[in-house]
Amino acid sequence: MSRVRYMMARILKLNYSQMFKTAKAISKKAHRSSVSIFFDMIHCGMKFQAGYYDYQEFEFYLMNDEQRATFLTRGKNNAIIKKYNDKSLMPLFEDKIAFNGKFAAFIRRPWIDLRSATSEEWAAFLRENPRVIAKVLDGAGGEGIDKYSAGDDTSPEELLKLLKERKQVLVEAFIDQHEELNRLYAGSVNTMRMFTFCKDGKGCFLQAILKIGNGGVVDNFSGGGMYTFPDENGVVTVPAIDKKDDLHTTHPLTHTEIIGFQIPMFREAIELVEKAAEVIPEVAYVGWDVAIGRNGPELIEGNPFPGVFQKRASLTENKTGIIPLYRQYMEI
């Protein structure tokens, strides 16, 4: 009965106008009527917990049901989080300062908490770290994050006041990222979202995506960035996807080749997140944001509500999603 109530609630909450709009856009690509696409969306929502965004992003319109069943949808992802992540411990991830304290062993960069820092401590921090990133504590998707440089027509006292007004009370030294990632795009730190599952107390690496900046100071998809997928050796195998759903084999601004790009220190990054996953095993399923600095990988943050990333159907050989891999470690 609870399953029926859940499905009825989902049906009532559907954004039908957006679904029709999406179905119309897909119909041009799939060469099918928008009506048939719309009802196929309903079918996929009921059977695979796939919203219209999942349907479009992973190209469910190119697959049969057997293939669709291998794709991790947002509904299935939420079920994993509910089953394996202890909600009471999630604040340790969501509060960025609490996170930095708990995972200090995996963070190389200096940082300061402006809620308790004196003006003298702040001035000394700026002298030692003239380029900084300031963050709000609970921002997501790159929101509330800005880059500042000491001496930009603002005194340390004025900057401190400004940051507190903006609630950007976590300030970190800017990461000097690896030269290869600067070659790809130097305007932001290009991070990896690395997924782990802690099974029987042991951290297990699942998959990674490479996030790439594209004109902004953050690499987040919502902030104008792109993402792509490396293989098990850290070599990018498919084009990068941007928010407009365009594919890029080379970077639009730097013209660096994306396909074939070798992520430096990829093996070391895997070892880092596997160890980090064991710190709070009660939150078993985590998406870690990892930077590759000149001296090695380090954690940026951990997300106990990790998003869904997998190659779309047209970019895979056999239209298979990530679920077969996940089932090696967890029950889905």
Side-chain angles (χ1 to χ4, degrees):
M1 183 63 69
S2 60
R3 172 72 175 174
V4 173
R5 284 199 297 267
Y6 171 77
M7 295 310 301
M8 289 301 298
R10 281 180 57 87
I11 291 171
L12 292 173
K13 291 180 180 179
L14 288 175
N15 185 337
Y16 288 100
S17 62
Q18 187 60 46
M19 285 181 66
F20 277 119
K21 182 178 179 180
T22 303
K24 187 175 180 179
I26 292 173
S27 69
K28 297 177 181 178
K29 296 180 180 180
H31 304 293
R32 290 167 52 188
S33 73
S34 56
V35 173
S36 69
I37 293 290
F38 176 81
F39 282 106
D40 196 30
M41 284 181 179
I42 298 292
H43 164 73
C44 290
M46 299 289 286
K47 189 166 186 176
F48 305 110
Q49 301 179 55
Y52 65 84
Y53 189 81
D54 289 327
Y55 187 94
Q56 179 183 43
E57 183 178 12
F58 304 131
E59 301 176 327
F60 270 36
Y61 52 90
L62 296 179
M63 293 183 278
N64 57 39
D65 278 4
E66 183 179 356
Q67 294 164 331
R68 291 164 170 171
T70 69
F71 275 74
L72 184 66
T73 61
R74 280 159 180 78
K76 292 180 180 179
N77 193 61
N78 290 341
I80 293 172
I81 293 166
K82 184 177 181 180
K83 183 175 183 177
Y84 291 108
N85 288 359
D86 186 334
K87 188 176 181 180
S88 68
L89 295 174
M90 289 185 183
L92 293 172
F93 292 85
E94 295 162 350
D95 183 312
K96 290 180 171 59
I97 288 178
F99 177 86
N100 279 15
K102 188 68 175 178
F103 292 92
F106 307 95
I107 296 172
R108 297 173 181 268
R109 62 197 178 280
W111 58 277
I112 188 170
D113 181 354
L114 297 186
R115 296 173 302 180
S116 57
T118 65
S119 57
E120 291 78 13
E121 289 171 335
W122 166 242
F125 183 84
L126 271 186
R127 284 196 298 271
E128 295 174 5
N129 308 283
R131 293 191 303 156
V132 298
I133 293 287
K135 305 176 179 180
V136 298
L137 295 188
D138 56 355
E143 294 181 357
I145 298 177
D146 291 298
K147 181 166 62 175
Y148 300 92
S149 296
D152 285 350
D153 299 324
T154 305
S155 68
E157 294 79 10
E158 291 171 330
L159 182 55
L160 179 62
K161 181 181 178 181
L162 175 65
L163 294 177
K164 287 185 175 181
E165 288 175 351
R166 293 178 175 176
K167 298 183 179 180
Q168 294 175 310
V169 294
L170 171 60
V171 181
E172 301 175 337
F174 193 79
I175 295 172
D176 188 12
Q177 75 177 339
H178 195 281
E179 59 185 6
E180 277 299 291
L181 288 163
N182 274 331
R183 184 173 66 85
L184 185 60
Y185 178 71
S188 72
V189 177
N190 306 299
T191 62
M192 284 187 288
R193 171 65 60 87
M194 306 187 76
F195 294 79
T196 59
F197 185 76
C198 194
K199 183 177 177 64
D200 300 325
K202 179 176 175 56
C204 303
F205 171 68
L206 299 174
Q207 67 159 338
I209 66 162
L210 174 63
K211 298 188 288 184
I212 308 169
N214 185 24
V217 299
V218 295
D219 59 2
N220 299 74
F221 195 52
S222 57
M226 308 177 288
Y227 72 90
T228 186
F229 297 85
D231 64 14
E232 65 276 7
N233 297 311
V235 178
V236 175
T237 58
V238 295
I241 304 166
D242 65 20
K243 194 174 183 180
K244 296 179 180 178
D245 209 34
D246 292 330
L247 300 177
H248 303 274
T249 58
T250 60
H251 196 287
L253 299 178
T254 66
H255 308 295
T256 300
E257 293 287 341
I258 293 174
I259 294 181
F261 182 82
Q262 171 69 65
I263 300 172
M265 304 183 186
F266 187 71
R267 177 51 52 185
E268 291 90 336
I270 290 177
E271 293 173 358
L272 179 86
V273 295
E274 287 184 334
K275 291 177 182 177
E278 298 170 2
V279 174
I280 310 179
E282 299 85 354
V283 181
Y285 178 49
V286 180
W288 307 94
D289 285 344
V290 178
I292 307 296
R294 292 185 182 274
N295 297 317
E298 64 174 288
L299 293 185
I300 302 296
E301 60 184 40
N303 191 335
F305 294 92
V308 180
F309 295 91
Q310 62 204 317
K311 295 177 186 176
R312 56 181 55 185
S314 61
L315 297 179
T316 64
E317 292 183 3
N318 52 7
K319 297 184 175 66
T320 301
I322 202 69
I323 283 182
L325 171 63
Y326 275 31
R327 281 185 173 151
Q328 297 177 32
Y329 303 94
M330 66 183 84
E331 294 181 3
I332 302 179

